[in-house]
Amino acid sequence: MRVFSMFLLVIMTYTFGSSQMYDPVSWSFKAEKVDGDQYKLIFHADIDPGWNIYSQFIEDGGPVPTSFTFDEGSHFEKVGDVTESDNAKSAMDPIFEMEVTKFSKYADFTQLARISDASKPVTGYLTFMTCNDERCLPPKDIEFSFMAPQGGAQDRADATHEAVESTSPTDEPAEEVTIQLDADEDAIILGGDAPVDGIEQPVTWSFGMERLSDTEYELQFMAEVEKGWQIYSKDVPEGGPWPTKIYFDENDALKTVGEPAETGSKRDEGYDPIFEMTLAKFKGDAKWTQRVEATDPDMVITGEVEYMTCDDEKCIGPLAARFSFDLARNLAVAGDLPASGGVDETSGVDPSKVVNNNVESLQATYQDPIGDCGEEENAAGKGLWATFLLGFVGGLLALLTPCVFPMIPLTVSFFTKDTKRKGWVNGVLYGLSIVFIYVSLGILLTVVFGPDVLNRLSTSWIANTIFFLIFMFFAFSFFGFYEITLPSSLANRSDSMADKGGLIGIFFMAFTLAVVSFSCTGPIIGSALVAATSKGMLGPAIVMLGFALALAIPFGLFAAFPSWLNSLPRSGGWMNSVKVMLGFLEVALAFKFLSVADMTSHWGILKYELFMAIWVLVAIGMALYMFGLIKFPHDSPVKKLNATRWILGLGMTAVAIYLASGFMLNEKTQSYDALKAMSGLAPPANYNFFIDAQDPDPSIKEKYPSFSKCANNLDCFKDYYEGVSYAREVGKPILLDFTGYGCVNCRKTEEHIWVRDEVWNRISDDYVLVSLYVDDRKPLEDELYLPSSTRPIGYIGKVWSNFQEVNFQQNSQPLYVLVTPEEEVLAKPRGYKADAKSYLDFLECGLETFEQHRQKMLLGSKE
């Protein structure tokens, strides 16, 4: 009993508690010059409220003390030991039941050192442990690197999880560091990319080099990619994402040798459902190497890596990572070197061709909007509960099948032949055994295939076509044309083990139920597992937990209250009817998977009209079956329709009529009125055979070339400045829509929120829609530059991604911003949220704020 209880506790904790990752301590490092060659190396920890870290001086049996390990080097010497700040407190600790010295809020540790060669970093790692009143996190190592400040300037170092190896200017590889200039001081910041509020940075770049000869070098470009994200190969077909490209600033002394080589531990080449083409992409890490010839041994090679990064729902970019390779110092860094030899990023660029996207009024009112329209809720974590509910409903359906339902009274009567208490305990153990068996099946599936494979299965056209065939196979099994069974020898061996009694016997009774009921439960389990593959690592285990609990709870309850058995309906032909109805559902869901394969592969064979017609026919088939007009092999004759058959038959007739209403045309959107209940099941309504969209108003198009028809036949501008001019002309506020062709959540908003009449009317009648596609690869007519680059922008999408970053400190899409014609933000911007009502409230609040603001401005001008 204790084993099963602990098993369930672990499953529930892992499932619903592991989604929160704790990181309560952040470290920063600073080197300060004391005198001559003496420096203070300062380790500063910022600690979240409620958490603590511990002193270096902790007795055995307590928490892990904070400690510091320096890499060996002849260029520096430690002077004394590491000292601690005086804010530490000693007290009895309830977790470790001993007196410990710990820090809260912050901690400073200082090491005095003599550094004889300031060009080399002092490196190593620190180890610490952090706890609050309820839990302790495992000990963690943080690597550090200090560069001795030169010329009286202070250097600060950010903690990084990558090793920073110091070298001298020889043929050894250069140190791999990330450097960023501090705008306020003459300082160098080393480590990972500095986080900026709202700016997602899933890719961190580091650089290295190796001298091959007196004039030839190998330059190395390394990318660390966060889990769930990916970047793309240097070779990408036209119309796909931004490829990863290396660009060098012009220098007559530099010549590239051949094409860059690329490698990665998780390189994946296959069909990409977002861009609808075959792509090569990298997860986790990637490395590019480029051989170059340099005739000047003292030169600094500069340039940038251009790339795009995407997850399953959105893309960020194109982005650019600057780099510098100092050949004389054998130093490879991110950014531009502050020392002599660096390049002036704006040298040689005509100032009139530099795009300045800074709009001061947007930036000021983004921080303090004119109105208060609330903030978006965080809907994270709801997906796993939906997966659990899917499994639970599947388990309840399995209970009603002829393979499981008759087993309830038989099994419960076996448990209740002893004392009531023993019967209750045996029933609970039986239920826990069922949970253990099915959850183990879900975990085994994840272990065998892995979460990455499961995620790819949910979007692969091959996998979805196979799922279609599997569901159809399950459906005909439910219709009674054949049965899916496991080998009878497995059931016999399990049944013989059940005869042994005790805990082992009860477990094998549950295992026997799983085996002998497979012909009924197998299709349901298979369907649930297929649907859970898109949830990654936890999906199969969660859906099986829900399925198993739905099966197990009745056995436990009936064992505890055996008199309830009298209320159960008798077994009979109705159970076969349940199987047949499930078969119809399997057919309908099968075409959902075929639809995914059709859209991602551009077959064009299962568009909206055909898909909806199939679902209508399935609903009609279910109604005819309930009315006794269709029979299957194992059905008993229907002599008279009972109340249940009448209710279900009429209900399915109503469903068929409801589904048929999805063919009604919407003159506003120039498409079908997609049904909310079919969201995520049916193809998009604009993916159809028969309807063509309208052209934009030619009089507006002539004046504003970017004016066009966007999603749902809405008028929109694809140029911010043209949209602002038109808004001033008509006196309407602006709905600024940062979007992308590869943005999944953008499409969800357009297809399921903007399509609603009240939302569509509000956008169309009261706002000027400006949709800026940050991944738009349309070439610019003129050669333009961003302030931070010496290379031409090339594509319009880079202009709008830069516009979003500099004005709104965000780089993910969708982002919706309500703006006045005078370029002031009306309300806090909104990201993706699957709620049409709150989106409408957002629009109406912005419109009300705009009207109030306009009246206030009019009154102010009269005064």
Side-chain angles (χ1 to χ4, degrees), residues 426-447:
N426 288 340
V428 171
L429 288 175
Y430 184 77
L432 290 175
S433 299
I434 292 174
V435 173
F436 181 86
I437 291 166
Y438 284 106
V439 173
S440 298
L441 173 64
I443 294 175
L444 179 64
L445 182 67
T446 302
V447 171

Side-chain angles (χ1 to χ4, degrees), residues 454-470:
L454 293 177
N455 278 321
R456 289 198 295 271
L457 283 177
S458 65
T459 55
S460 165
W461 73 268
I462 298 176
N464 277 281
T465 303
I466 294 173
F467 291 158
F468 164 74
L469 297 174
I470 291 174

Side-chain angles (χ1 to χ4, degrees), residues 133-314:
D133 292 337
E134 297 178 349
R135 62 178 62 83
C136 289
L137 304 184
K140 191 174 184 180
D141 292 338
I142 299 293
E143 297 183 356
F144 58 78
S145 176
F146 295 92
M147 290 294 292
Q150 304 176 37
Q154 291 186 352
D155 282 357
R156 291 193 295 271
D158 282 339
T160 178
H161 298 286
E162 299 180 24
V164 182
E165 301 176 358
S166 121
T167 60
S168 57
T170 64
D171 291 346
E172 296 298 319
E175 56 183 311
E176 300 173 10
V177 298
T178 306
I179 293 184
Q180 175 184 334
L181 295 184
D182 190 326
D184 299 324
E185 300 183 47
D186 180 16
I188 304 174
I189 300 177
L190 292 88
D193 295 336
V196 181
D197 288 343
I199 299 293
E200 293 190 68
Q201 297 174 312
V203 180
T204 302
W205 288 90
S206 59
F207 305 91
M209 68 178 181
E210 183 177 354
R211 180 178 294 166
L212 304 178
S213 68
D214 290 341
T215 59
E216 194 167 352
Y217 300 81
E218 181 183 84
L219 308 183
Q220 302 160 356
F221 309 81
M222 285 76 69
E224 289 288 338
V225 186
E226 287 184 5
K227 186 176 181 180
W229 292 82
Q230 58 206 20
I231 58 175
Y232 297 90
S233 166
K234 62 183 178 64
D235 303 309
V236 170
E238 186 67 28
W242 241 267
T244 302
K245 295 287 187 181
I246 301 168
Y247 297 96
F248 294 96
D249 295 332
E250 290 187 12
N251 195 315
D252 294 337
L254 178 68
K255 177 184 176 182
T256 58
V257 179
E259 291 290 320
E262 59 184 24
T263 58
S265 61
K266 294 183 180 179
R267 185 180 190 274
D268 177 33
E269 185 166 358
Y271 185 82
D272 189 290
I274 293 180
F275 295 99
E276 301 179 346
M277 61 177 63
T278 299
L279 296 171
K281 50 197 173 186
F282 297 91
K283 297 181 179 180
D285 62 84
K287 180 178 181 179
W288 286 262
T289 56
Q290 173 69 65
R291 298 181 68 174
V292 298
E293 288 183 359
T295 57
D296 180 2
D298 296 322
M299 73 180 295
V300 176
I301 302 172
T302 59
E304 64 186 32
V305 180
E306 186 179 81
Y307 66 100
M308 173 180 274
T309 179
C310 302
D311 63 7
D312 291 337
E313 296 182 338
K314 60 180 174 294

Side-chain angles (χ1 to χ4, degrees), residues 567-821:
S567 62
L568 286 179
R570 294 183 179 181
S571 301
W574 66 268
M575 291 185 294
N576 190 69
S577 299
V578 171
K579 285 184 64 177
V580 171
M581 294 293 280
L582 289 176
F584 279 111
L585 286 177
E586 293 279 337
V587 170
L589 292 174
F591 282 94
K592 185 266 184 187
F593 292 101
L594 186 61
S595 171
V596 173
D598 171 67
M599 288 189 292
T600 56
S601 300
H602 298 284
W603 295 338
I605 61 174
L606 191 57
K607 294 187 177 182
Y608 180 84
E609 297 97 336
L610 180 57
F611 182 93
M612 292 299 296
I614 291 172
W615 274 59
V616 170
L617 290 175
V618 168
I620 292 174
M622 296 174 79
L624 294 176
Y625 177 74
M626 283 291 101
F627 290 138
L629 301 176
I630 299 176
K631 285 187 61 178
F632 288 92
H634 297 299
D635 283 329
S636 303
V638 180
K639 298 179 180 179
K640 182 180 179 182
L641 295 180
N642 56 33
T644 301
R645 280 185 168 270
W646 272 110
I647 293 172
L648 289 176
L650 292 174
M652 295 316 303
T653 302
V655 169
I657 295 172
Y658 170 75
L659 292 174
S661 70
F663 289 104
M664 296 179 66
L665 294 177
N666 189 319
E667 294 297 330
K668 294 177 182 178
T669 64
Q670 287 296 295
S671 185
Y672 298 103
D673 262 335
L675 302 175
K676 185 175 180 180
M678 296 300 289
S679 174
L681 294 173
N686 58 2
Y687 180 62
N688 57 62
F689 290 108
F690 304 118
I691 302 176
D692 295 324
Q694 291 180 344
D695 294 326
D697 187 331
S699 62
I700 303 176
K701 181 75 173 179
E702 182 178 0
K703 186 176 181 180
Y704 301 105
S706 75
F707 182 69
S708 60
K709 289 289 184 180
C710 287
N712 301 315
N713 201 39
L714 284 165
D715 292 334
C716 83
F717 294 83
K718 294 186 178 179
D719 182 285
Y720 171 77
Y721 302 100
E722 289 186 7
V724 169
S725 297
Y726 182 76
R728 289 174 179 170
E729 185 179 312
V730 299
K732 291 182 179 181
I734 299 164
L735 172 57
L736 189 54
D737 164 34
F738 290 99
T739 184
Y741 293 110
C743 173
V744 174
N745 282 338
C746 303
R747 300 293 84 75
K748 289 181 180 179
T749 300
E750 294 161 2
E751 294 171 0
H752 305 308
I753 296 179
W754 285 9
V755 75
R756 300 285 292 271
D757 282 346
E758 57 273 25
V759 175
W760 193 96
N761 290 334
R762 187 62 75 198
I763 296 174
S764 177
D765 298 341
D766 300 314
Y767 282 93
V768 174
L769 176 60
V770 178
S771 294
L772 303 180
Y773 287 79
V774 300
D775 56 358
D776 190 345
R777 296 180 64 85
K778 179 183 178 181
L780 290 168
E781 295 179 0
D782 300 322
E783 189 176 83
L784 300 176
Y785 300 81
L786 293 175
S788 60
S789 177
T790 59
R791 194 171 62 80
I793 298 173
Y795 298 98
I796 187 63
K798 288 190 68 175
V799 175
W800 304 134
S801 63
N802 175 263
F803 186 94
Q804 181 184 0
E805 290 181 18
V806 300
N807 292 304
F808 302 108
Q809 290 83 57
Q810 299 193 44
N811 62 351
S812 62
Q813 297 79 42
L815 182 70
Y816 304 103
V817 191
L818 305 181
V819 180
T820 69

Side-chain angles (χ1 to χ4, degrees), residues 482-508:
Y482 46 80
E483 284 195 354
I484 306 171
T485 59
L486 294 175
S488 58
S489 58
L490 180 62
N492 294 334
R493 283 197 295 269
S494 177
D495 191 45
S496 64
M497 292 294 292
D499 292 336
K500 293 187 175 182
L503 182 60
I504 297 296
I506 292 173
F507 174 81
F508 276 97

